[in-house]
């Protein structure tokens, strides 16, 4: 918004949605009136409201926890925007991360009638964002912006700013004269996975379990066709996790049933490996289970990808559903859905166990290598498994997102929801 104002050479008013409501009762509406009065006086101009969801949430009325102050503020905003004539020359821009919860009235013609979806930056966009943030940093001469952009798939602009800042801190801590490539790589790893804790005490038996868990993920994702290719696996404790695997998911707009099932299978590979290697399982698969449960739920209730439920979606894109008191399906269907979700996960788990049994020697070799080296890369996997059968040239594949798989600590007594994923 600031850039638009700059380009148009007009004044720019910026306010955050929460500022309207943090004041005393009754002040929100007054503040809105005041803002628009100023804007009209300074017209032509641009008004930017950040975090509009703070005031723009759906109005629900007191019955379901409505907030009078917020609703008054929103009503005032709607009224002010209606009051613009075609000759007012005030452009109002707002931003939110939660467009789904906004009140429908905000998006009607004459109000915010155009929406621009700002996606996460792609590689060349990330390179340009790096350009902005790197300007302030003393860089080693070999730093290549393309390289940095490639290492940060799925990062937002704020994440990239964070990487640059973190890299500078790491460089300073290591008494480097310049920020080096390795400082950037460490910063990226730290932001994705938390700080490495090399001297965290882990019992050897636990370390072995983590090695097999991660080796299980790696093995399955190597051997099933549609799983995301693996970049790196580590059993160095990091943040609140004991091990992690880095993947490069391919960019796709549609996902087939087979692809979802393969992904679920690979995610369950950690626990399956524990069963295959030790004959028992542990709490280390928490984040894996959380993820596959959500995926299976989505397959059945949102995407209509399950045979027994069929082509039905209970997803409500309008978000205006009034059925907040009950589910949109019968008790009987609810039971079927439960069975279906359980079946999907169970079948993929058994599939993972079977694959691991059949490749037990490779699983062992991989776990052993992990225990020796603590970090292994794609090349190490290739050494054990040979070239991956269905991998197109990895380097030519567009990169959109990095997923880090974490194994939460077994002994953690904290709220599992806080564990990073
Ligand atoms: Zn896992």
């Amino acid at each position: 918004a600031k850039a638009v104002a700059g380009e148009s050479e007009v004044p720019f008013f910026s306010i955050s949605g929460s500022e309207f409501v943090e004041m005393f009762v009754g002040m929100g509406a007054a503040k809105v009136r005041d803002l628009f009065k100023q804007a009209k006086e300074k017209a032509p101009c641009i008004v930017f409201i950040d975090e509009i969801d703070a005031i723009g949430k759906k109005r629900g009325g007191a019955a379901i926890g409505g907030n009078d102050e917020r609703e008054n503020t929103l009503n005032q905003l709607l009224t002010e925007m209606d009051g613009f004539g075609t000759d007012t020359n005030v452009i109002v821009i707002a931003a939110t991360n939660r467009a789904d919860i906004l009140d429908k009235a905000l998006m009607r013609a004459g109000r915010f009638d155009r929406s621009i979806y700002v996606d996460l930056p792609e590689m060349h966009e990330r390179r340009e964002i790096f350009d902005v943030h790197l300007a302030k940093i003393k860089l080693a001469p070999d730093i290549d912006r393309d390289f940095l952009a490639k290492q940060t798939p799925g990062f937002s602009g704020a994440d990239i700013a964070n990487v640059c800042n973190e890299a500078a801190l790491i460089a300073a801590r290591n008494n480097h004269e310049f920020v080096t490539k390795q400082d950037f790589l460490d910063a990226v790893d730290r932001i994705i996975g938390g700080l490495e804790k090399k001297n965290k005490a882990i019992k050897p038996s636990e370390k072995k379990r983590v090695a097999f868990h991660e080796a299980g993920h790696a093995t399955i994702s190597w051997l099933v066709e549609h799983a995301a290719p693996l970049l790196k696996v580590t059993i160095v404790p990091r943040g609140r996790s004991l091990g992690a695997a880095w993947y490069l998911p391919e960019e796709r707009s549609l996902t087939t049933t087979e692809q979802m099932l393969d992904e679920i299978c690979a995610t369950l590979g950690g626990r399956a490996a524990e069963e295959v290697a030790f004959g028992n399982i542990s709490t280390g698969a928490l984040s894996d289970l959380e993820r596959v449960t959500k995926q299976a739920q989505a397959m059945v209730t949102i995407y209509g990808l399950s045979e027994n439920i069929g082509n039905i979606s209970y997803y409500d894109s309008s978000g205006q559903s009034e059925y907040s008191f009950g589910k949109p399906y019968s008790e009987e269907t609810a039971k079927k859905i439960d069975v279906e979700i359980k079946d999907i996960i169970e079948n993929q788990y058994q599939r993972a166990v079977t694959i691991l049994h059949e490749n037990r020697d490779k699983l062992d070799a991989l776990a052993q290598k992990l225990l020796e080296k603590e970090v292994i890369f794609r090349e190490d996997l290739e050494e054990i498994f040979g070239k991956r059968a269905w991998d197109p040239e990895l380097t030519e594949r567009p990169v959109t997102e990095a997923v880090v798989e974490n194994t939460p600590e077994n002994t953690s007594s904290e709220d599992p929801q806080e564990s990073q994923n």
Side-chain angles (χ1 to χ4, degrees), residues 195-213:
L195 188 61
E196 268 191 358
K197 294 182 195 153
K198 282 225 159 100
N199 37 20
K200 183 186 171 84
I202 299 177
K203 276 196 287 185
S205 64
E206 282 178 349
K207 194 155 198 170
K208 193 169 170 203
R209 185 178 286 277
V210 176
F212 269 94
H213 182 106

PDB file of all heavy atoms in Angstrom, residues 195-213:
ATOM      1  N   LEU A 195      17.078 -24.187  17.268  1.00  0.00           N
ATOM      2  CA  LEU A 195      18.530 -24.215  17.477  1.00  0.00           C
ATOM      3  C   LEU A 195      19.021 -25.643  17.695  1.00  0.00           C
ATOM      4  O   LEU A 195      18.418 -26.419  18.406  1.00  0.00           O
ATOM      5  CB  LEU A 195      18.855 -23.362  18.700  1.00  0.00           C
ATOM      6  CG  LEU A 195      20.326 -23.108  18.992  1.00  0.00           C
ATOM      7  CD1 LEU A 195      20.977 -22.372  17.857  1.00  0.00           C
ATOM      8  CD2 LEU A 195      20.458 -22.334  20.275  1.00  0.00           C
ATOM      9  N   GLU A 196      20.144 -25.967  17.072  1.00  0.00           N
ATOM     10  CA  GLU A 196      20.755 -27.280  17.304  1.00  0.00           C
ATOM     11  C   GLU A 196      21.206 -27.378  18.741  1.00  0.00           C
ATOM     12  O   GLU A 196      21.804 -26.447  19.272  1.00  0.00           O
ATOM     13  CB  GLU A 196      21.984 -27.446  16.395  1.00  0.00           C
ATOM     14  CG  GLU A 196      21.688 -28.078  15.090  1.00  0.00           C
ATOM     15  CD  GLU A 196      22.964 -28.475  14.347  1.00  0.00           C
ATOM     16  OE1 GLU A 196      24.064 -28.210  14.863  1.00  0.00           O
ATOM     17  OE2 GLU A 196      22.838 -29.055  13.263  1.00  0.00           O
ATOM     18  N   LYS A 197      20.911 -28.501  19.347  1.00  0.00           N
ATOM     19  CA  LYS A 197      21.396 -28.698  20.707  1.00  0.00           C
ATOM     20  C   LYS A 197      22.335 -29.888  20.695  1.00  0.00           C
ATOM     21  O   LYS A 197      21.947 -30.993  21.018  1.00  0.00           O
ATOM     22  CB  LYS A 197      20.226 -28.964  21.650  1.00  0.00           C
ATOM     23  CG  LYS A 197      19.311 -27.775  21.813  1.00  0.00           C
ATOM     24  CD  LYS A 197      18.218 -28.131  22.797  1.00  0.00           C
ATOM     25  CE  LYS A 197      17.080 -27.144  22.750  1.00  0.00           C
ATOM     26  NZ  LYS A 197      15.823 -27.752  23.151  1.00  0.00           N
ATOM     27  N   LYS A 198      23.569 -29.619  20.326  1.00  0.00           N
ATOM     28  CA  LYS A 198      24.523 -30.708  20.134  1.00  0.00           C
ATOM     29  C   LYS A 198      24.851 -31.418  21.430  1.00  0.00           C
ATOM     30  O   LYS A 198      25.158 -32.595  21.444  1.00  0.00           O
ATOM     31  CB  LYS A 198      25.823 -30.158  19.508  1.00  0.00           C
ATOM     32  CG  LYS A 198      25.676 -29.920  18.009  1.00  0.00           C
ATOM     33  CD  LYS A 198      26.879 -30.454  17.262  1.00  0.00           C
ATOM     34  CE  LYS A 198      26.568 -30.707  15.807  1.00  0.00           C
ATOM     35  NZ  LYS A 198      27.003 -29.682  14.906  1.00  0.00           N
ATOM     36  N   ASN A 199      24.789 -30.663  22.552  1.00  0.00           N
ATOM     37  CA  ASN A 199      25.197 -31.314  23.798  1.00  0.00           C
ATOM     38  C   ASN A 199      24.023 -31.725  24.673  1.00  0.00           C
ATOM     39  O   ASN A 199      24.165 -31.971  25.843  1.00  0.00           O
ATOM     40  CB  ASN A 199      26.160 -30.419  24.585  1.00  0.00           C
ATOM     41  CG  ASN A 199      25.767 -28.968  24.458  1.00  0.00           C
ATOM     42  OD1 ASN A 199      24.628 -28.680  24.114  1.00  0.00           O
ATOM     43  ND2 ASN A 199      26.689 -28.063  24.721  1.00  0.00           N
ATOM     44  N   LYS A 200      22.852 -31.800  24.083  1.00  0.00           N
ATOM     45  CA  LYS A 200      21.705 -32.296  24.832  1.00  0.00           C
ATOM     46  C   LYS A 200      21.944 -33.788  25.108  1.00  0.00           C
ATOM     47  O   LYS A 200      22.322 -34.549  24.235  1.00  0.00           O
ATOM     48  CB  LYS A 200      20.449 -32.129  23.986  1.00  0.00           C
ATOM     49  CG  LYS A 200      19.196 -32.540  24.682  1.00  0.00           C
ATOM     50  CD  LYS A 200      18.054 -32.474  23.676  1.00  0.00           C
ATOM     51  CE  LYS A 200      16.790 -33.068  24.226  1.00  0.00           C
ATOM     52  NZ  LYS A 200      16.029 -32.139  25.026  1.00  0.00           N
ATOM     53  N   ALA A 201      21.739 -34.174  26.366  1.00  0.00           N
ATOM     54  CA  ALA A 201      22.001 -35.570  26.727  1.00  0.00           C
ATOM     55  C   ALA A 201      20.828 -36.454  26.308  1.00  0.00           C
ATOM     56  O   ALA A 201      19.692 -36.214  26.695  1.00  0.00           O
ATOM     57  CB  ALA A 201      22.217 -35.670  28.231  1.00  0.00           C
ATOM     58  N   ILE A 202      21.130 -37.423  25.474  1.00  0.00           N
ATOM     59  CA  ILE A 202      20.114 -38.386  25.070  1.00  0.00           C
ATOM     60  C   ILE A 202      20.663 -39.777  25.337  1.00  0.00           C
ATOM     61  O   ILE A 202      21.812 -40.065  25.020  1.00  0.00           O
ATOM     62  CB  ILE A 202      19.799 -38.273  23.570  1.00  0.00           C
ATOM     63  CG1 ILE A 202      19.263 -36.884  23.272  1.00  0.00           C
ATOM     64  CG2 ILE A 202      18.769 -39.298  23.153  1.00  0.00           C
ATOM     65  CD1 ILE A 202      19.008 -36.684  21.813  1.00  0.00           C
ATOM     66  N   LYS A 203      19.831 -40.589  25.906  1.00  0.00           N
ATOM     67  CA  LYS A 203      20.278 -41.966  26.161  1.00  0.00           C
ATOM     68  C   LYS A 203      20.583 -42.648  24.831  1.00  0.00           C
ATOM     69  O   LYS A 203      19.855 -42.447  23.855  1.00  0.00           O
ATOM     70  CB  LYS A 203      19.173 -42.739  26.879  1.00  0.00           C
ATOM     71  CG  LYS A 203      19.194 -42.508  28.380  1.00  0.00           C
ATOM     72  CD  LYS A 203      18.368 -43.554  29.095  1.00  0.00           C
ATOM     73  CE  LYS A 203      16.906 -43.330  28.879  1.00  0.00           C
ATOM     74  NZ  LYS A 203      16.009 -44.172  29.587  1.00  0.00           N
ATOM     75  N   PRO A 204      21.622 -43.488  24.780  1.00  0.00           N
ATOM     76  CA  PRO A 204      21.949 -44.174  23.518  1.00  0.00           C
ATOM     77  C   PRO A 204      20.766 -44.963  22.969  1.00  0.00           C
ATOM     78  O   PRO A 204      20.556 -45.006  21.757  1.00  0.00           O
ATOM     79  CB  PRO A 204      23.092 -45.114  23.928  1.00  0.00           C
ATOM     80  CG  PRO A 204      23.687 -44.513  25.145  1.00  0.00           C
ATOM     81  CD  PRO A 204      22.585 -43.782  25.847  1.00  0.00           C
ATOM     82  N   SER A 205      19.957 -45.544  23.847  1.00  0.00           N
ATOM     83  CA  SER A 205      18.823 -46.330  23.359  1.00  0.00           C
ATOM     84  C   SER A 205      17.810 -45.420  22.663  1.00  0.00           C
ATOM     85  O   SER A 205      17.200 -45.786  21.657  1.00  0.00           O
ATOM     86  CB  SER A 205      18.161 -47.072  24.510  1.00  0.00           C
ATOM     87  OG  SER A 205      17.609 -46.155  25.425  1.00  0.00           O
ATOM     88  N   GLU A 206      17.661 -44.208  23.197  1.00  0.00           N
ATOM     89  CA  GLU A 206      16.729 -43.262  22.570  1.00  0.00           C
ATOM     90  C   GLU A 206      17.274 -42.770  21.245  1.00  0.00           C
ATOM     91  O   GLU A 206      16.537 -42.590  20.282  1.00  0.00           O
ATOM     92  CB  GLU A 206      16.473 -42.072  23.502  1.00  0.00           C
ATOM     93  CG  GLU A 206      15.507 -42.402  24.608  1.00  0.00           C
ATOM     94  CD  GLU A 206      15.292 -41.244  25.565  1.00  0.00           C
ATOM     95  OE1 GLU A 206      16.043 -40.241  25.496  1.00  0.00           O
ATOM     96  OE2 GLU A 206      14.377 -41.353  26.382  1.00  0.00           O
ATOM     97  N   LYS A 207      18.564 -42.554  21.216  1.00  0.00           N
ATOM     98  CA  LYS A 207      19.194 -42.089  19.998  1.00  0.00           C
ATOM     99  C   LYS A 207      18.991 -43.115  18.879  1.00  0.00           C
ATOM    100  O   LYS A 207      18.708 -42.777  17.734  1.00  0.00           O
ATOM    101  CB  LYS A 207      20.693 -41.880  20.253  1.00  0.00           C
ATOM    102  CG  LYS A 207      21.348 -41.093  19.168  1.00  0.00           C
ATOM    103  CD  LYS A 207      22.585 -40.392  19.676  1.00  0.00           C
ATOM    104  CE  LYS A 207      22.953 -39.294  18.708  1.00  0.00           C
ATOM    105  NZ  LYS A 207      23.976 -38.415  19.178  1.00  0.00           N
ATOM    106  N   LYS A 208      19.121 -44.374  19.256  1.00  0.00           N
ATOM    107  CA  LYS A 208      18.945 -45.444  18.284  1.00  0.00           C
ATOM    108  C   LYS A 208      17.502 -45.446  17.762  1.00  0.00           C
ATOM    109  O   LYS A 208      17.246 -45.607  16.569  1.00  0.00           O
ATOM    110  CB  LYS A 208      19.265 -46.780  18.962  1.00  0.00           C
ATOM    111  CG  LYS A 208      19.428 -47.902  17.977  1.00  0.00           C
ATOM    112  CD  LYS A 208      19.996 -49.149  18.655  1.00  0.00           C
ATOM    113  CE  LYS A 208      19.914 -50.309  17.669  1.00  0.00           C
ATOM    114  NZ  LYS A 208      19.909 -51.610  18.308  1.00  0.00           N
ATOM    115  N   ARG A 209      16.575 -45.200  18.666  1.00  0.00           N
ATOM    116  CA  ARG A 209      15.174 -45.185  18.253  1.00  0.00           C
ATOM    117  C   ARG A 209      14.909 -44.030  17.282  1.00  0.00           C
ATOM    118  O   ARG A 209      14.250 -44.184  16.269  1.00  0.00           O
ATOM    119  CB  ARG A 209      14.260 -45.072  19.479  1.00  0.00           C
ATOM    120  CG  ARG A 209      12.789 -45.162  19.142  1.00  0.00           C
ATOM    121  CD  ARG A 209      11.930 -45.095  20.398  1.00  0.00           C
ATOM    122  NE  ARG A 209      11.950 -46.311  21.189  1.00  0.00           N
ATOM    123  CZ  ARG A 209      11.180 -47.374  20.937  1.00  0.00           C
ATOM    124  NH1 ARG A 209      10.344 -47.359  19.931  1.00  0.00           N
ATOM    125  NH2 ARG A 209      11.247 -48.434  21.699  1.00  0.00           N
ATOM    126  N   VAL A 210      15.483 -42.867  17.627  1.00  0.00           N
ATOM    127  CA  VAL A 210      15.296 -41.709  16.731  1.00  0.00           C
ATOM    128  C   VAL A 210      15.909 -42.004  15.361  1.00  0.00           C
ATOM    129  O   VAL A 210      15.326 -41.689  14.319  1.00  0.00           O
ATOM    130  CB  VAL A 210      15.930 -40.433  17.341  1.00  0.00           C
ATOM    131  CG1 VAL A 210      15.825 -39.269  16.371  1.00  0.00           C
ATOM    132  CG2 VAL A 210      15.251 -40.082  18.652  1.00  0.00           C
ATOM    133  N   ALA A 211      17.073 -42.654  15.360  1.00  0.00           N
ATOM    134  CA  ALA A 211      17.737 -42.968  14.087  1.00  0.00           C
ATOM    135  C   ALA A 211      16.847 -43.872  13.235  1.00  0.00           C
ATOM    136  O   ALA A 211      16.685 -43.645  12.027  1.00  0.00           O
ATOM    137  CB  ALA A 211      19.081 -43.630  14.339  1.00  0.00           C
ATOM    138  N   PHE A 212      16.253 -44.887  13.855  1.00  0.00           N
ATOM    139  CA  PHE A 212      15.388 -45.773  13.085  1.00  0.00           C
ATOM    140  C   PHE A 212      14.112 -45.060  12.641  1.00  0.00           C
ATOM    141  O   PHE A 212      13.630 -45.255  11.530  1.00  0.00           O
ATOM    142  CB  PHE A 212      15.048 -47.039  13.891  1.00  0.00           C
ATOM    143  CG  PHE A 212      16.025 -48.145  13.644  1.00  0.00           C
ATOM    144  CD1 PHE A 212      17.116 -48.316  14.482  1.00  0.00           C
ATOM    145  CD2 PHE A 212      15.871 -48.979  12.555  1.00  0.00           C
ATOM    146  CE1 PHE A 212      18.039 -49.311  14.236  1.00  0.00           C
ATOM    147  CE2 PHE A 212      16.788 -49.994  12.302  1.00  0.00           C
ATOM    148  CZ  PHE A 212      17.875 -50.157  13.150  1.00  0.00           C
ATOM    149  N   HIS A 213      13.583 -44.209  13.521  1.00  0.00           N
ATOM    150  CA  HIS A 213      12.384 -43.452  13.166  1.00  0.00           C
ATOM    151  C   HIS A 213      12.634 -42.613  11.908  1.00  0.00           C
ATOM    152  O   HIS A 213      11.892 -42.686  10.933  1.00  0.00           O
ATOM    153  CB  HIS A 213      11.985 -42.562  14.350  1.00  0.00           C
ATOM    154  CG  HIS A 213      10.743 -41.761  14.129  1.00  0.00           C
ATOM    155  ND1 HIS A 213       9.546 -42.068  14.722  1.00  0.00           N
ATOM    156  CD2 HIS A 213      10.507 -40.661  13.360  1.00  0.00           C
ATOM    157  CE1 HIS A 213       8.634 -41.205  14.332  1.00  0.00           C
ATOM    158  NE2 HIS A 213       9.184 -40.324  13.504  1.00  0.00           N
TER     159      HIS A 213
END
